[in-house]
């Protein structure tokens, strides 16, 4: 039986509810959000969570697009004639962060593409000079692939690229999905409150502790090992010169986009807990939200059935 966690629920009640709950995929979990009401929803069951083995990447066209004389961008592309979905990876990831999504999205009829930003697996940085931006790199890649309008899905730090691209090139987008991310938005109020979330010394903790939820780490040792291996390969050795943003992102700029927006987070996400996501959603009237019980920051990896079902359902509702 599904149980809604309402906005007034205490932190202790929320933790207790999440601790005994596991996920059941259901379209009913996606909720309309406006400035007055934006409760996150979770599904509770006493069944064992359906943690899945990590699949191999399905066959897809692979390539390295030379975005400049010195910089290549690795990508894979499932092909097909359906609407295009571009997956933008987290900071501890690459184009290889999406093994659970590649085939699932393609089977749902979407031409699915993922790429590695500069400095990530397959896209090593060869020059300290980084005159471009992530948004410009993505624009160059989609132009190279002859893509018109597309859906964009960003996870964690990938959400920063999503908002920067959206503000820069909104006419190229059909919809925006952002999971477990702070959007590249440095809102003073949210930033101040976010300082209370992560304790001193948090940055020195193991990546798998910070990124994966405790339920997943407890129940799926093989999945944790696979995630650690993926994370260790995600960053290319050598230069680490992060590109500058193309825009300063504000709530008003995002509201002015007039695009369908879907926000997701995990109930156990240490970086973006549900309360933070709901605070952000209040700034974006009409967006949709989803809280996935027990999941941590690597939502697409820990609970791929829920993630895929929810995102694909949202994309299918968008008029092409």
């Amino acid at each position: 039986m599904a149980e809604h966690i309402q906005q007034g629920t205490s932190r202790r009640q929320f933790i207790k509810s999440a601790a005994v709950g596991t996920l059941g995929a259901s379209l009913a979990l996606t909720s309309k959000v406006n400035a007055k009401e934006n409760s996150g929803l979770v599904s509770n069951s006493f069944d064992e969570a359906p943690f899945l083995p990590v699949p191999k990447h399905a066959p897809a066209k692979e390539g390295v697009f030379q975005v400049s004389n010195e910089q290549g961008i690795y990508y894979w592309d499932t092909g097909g004639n359906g609407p295009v979905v571009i997956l933008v990876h987290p900071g501890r990831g690459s184009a290889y962060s999406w093994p659970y999504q590649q085939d699932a999205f393609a089977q749902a009829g979407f031409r699915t593409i993922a790429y590695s930003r500069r400095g990530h697996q397959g896209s090593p940085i060869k020059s300290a000079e980084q005159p471009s931006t992530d948004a410009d790199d993505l624009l160059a890649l989609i132009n190279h692939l002859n893509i018109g309008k597309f859906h964009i899905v960003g996870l964690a730090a990938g959400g920063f690229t999503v908002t920067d691209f959206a503000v820069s090139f909104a006419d190229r987008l059909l919809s925006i999905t952002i999971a477990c991310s702070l959007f590249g938005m440095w809102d003073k109020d949210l930033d101040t409150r976010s300082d209370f979330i992560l304790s001193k010394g948090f940055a020195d903790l193991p990546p798998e502790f910070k990124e994966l939820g405790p339920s997943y780490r407890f129940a799926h040792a093989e999945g944790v090992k696979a995630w650690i291996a993926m994370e260790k390969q995600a960053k290319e050795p050598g230069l680490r010169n992060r590109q500058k943003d193309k825009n300063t992102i504000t709530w008003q700029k995002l509201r002015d986009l007039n695009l369908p927006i879907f926000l997701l987070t995990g109930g156990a996400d240490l970086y973006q807990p549900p309360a933070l996501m709901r605070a952000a959603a209040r700034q974006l009237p009409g967006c949709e939200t989803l809280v996935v019980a027990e999941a941590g920051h690597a939502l697409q990896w820990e609970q791929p059935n829920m993630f895929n079902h929810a995102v694909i359902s949202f994309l299918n509702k968008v008029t092409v």
Side-chain angles (χ1 to χ4, degrees), residues 8-304:
T9 303
S10 71
R11 178 177 175 82
R12 179 175 296 179
Q13 289 172 318
F14 180 84
I15 293 173
K16 181 179 179 182
S17 176
V20 299
T22 57
L23 301 176
S26 170
L27 289 177
L29 293 179
T30 303
S31 63
K32 289 284 186 177
V33 177
N34 56 42
K36 296 181 179 179
E37 182 179 1
N38 60 348
S39 300
L41 304 180
V42 296
S43 171
N44 291 320
S45 163
F46 288 97
D47 297 328
E48 189 67 27
F51 295 127
L52 302 176
V54 182
K56 294 182 178 179
H57 272 278
K61 175 185 176 182
E62 297 179 276
V64 176
F65 166 59
Q66 289 299 133
V67 71
S68 71
N69 290 334
E70 295 183 325
Q71 182 63 56
I73 299 294
Y74 167 77
Y75 68 93
W76 54 255
D77 181 354
T78 64
N81 298 319
V84 175
V85 178
I86 294 185
L87 307 175
V88 188
H89 64 79
R92 294 186 181 275
S94 69
Y96 295 96
S97 295
W98 311 96
Y100 292 104
Q101 284 68 50
Q102 186 185 60
D103 188 57
F105 279 64
Q107 290 294 324
F110 293 94
R111 178 184 174 185
T112 309
I113 298 167
Y115 71 105
S116 293
R117 299 193 300 278
R118 300 187 188 209
H120 297 260
Q121 189 174 2
S123 304
I125 296 175
K126 298 180 180 179
S127 171
E129 295 296 323
Q130 299 294 316
S132 184
T133 68
D134 286 338
D136 289 318
D137 282 353
L138 179 52
L139 179 67
L141 176 63
I142 63 173
N143 286 339
H144 169 70
L145 296 174
N146 295 314
I147 293 169
K149 290 195 173 188
F150 62 96
H151 302 282
I152 192 167
V153 177
L155 181 73
F160 296 19
T161 300
V162 168
T163 54
D164 202 17
F165 184 90
V167 169
S168 303
F169 310 110
D171 61 322
R172 303 300 291 269
L173 294 178
L174 296 169
S175 73
I176 296 170
T177 297
I178 299 177
C180 306
S181 180
L182 300 176
F183 323 109
M185 168 83 61
W186 302 115
D187 175 276
K188 183 178 180 180
D189 178 53
L190 292 185
D191 204 24
T192 300
R193 286 189 283 166
S194 295
D195 288 341
F196 293 100
I197 296 175
L198 307 178
S199 63
K200 185 178 180 180
F202 179 82
D204 298 324
L205 294 171
E208 63 272 20
F209 177 87
K210 295 184 288 185
E211 303 277 331
L212 300 173
S215 289
Y216 186 82
R217 286 184 278 117
F218 175 85
H220 196 5
E222 291 304 312
V224 174
K225 291 177 182 177
W227 185 90
I228 292 172
M230 180 277 298
E231 187 271 337
K232 286 183 177 179
Q233 296 177 46
K235 286 290 184 74
E236 290 281 359
L239 296 172
R240 288 284 187 274
N241 190 5
R242 185 182 181 277
Q243 292 170 276
K244 294 181 179 179
D245 297 324
K246 192 174 180 68
N247 300 277
T248 299
I249 307 301
T250 67
W251 294 120
Q252 189 57 52
K253 288 179 181 178
L254 295 181
R255 287 190 289 267
D256 289 343
L257 294 175
N258 195 30
L259 286 166
I261 298 176
F262 185 22
L263 308 180
L264 306 84
T265 198
D269 189 340
L270 297 176
Y271 292 93
Q272 197 204 36
L276 198 161
M277 184 197 70
R278 289 193 290 267
R282 278 192 286 270
Q283 299 287 341
L284 302 171
C287 76
E288 299 187 28
T289 66
L290 174 67
V291 174
V292 180
E294 300 191 50
H297 198 54
L299 181 56
Q300 96 296 0
W301 187 279
E302 295 181 54
Q303 293 292 350

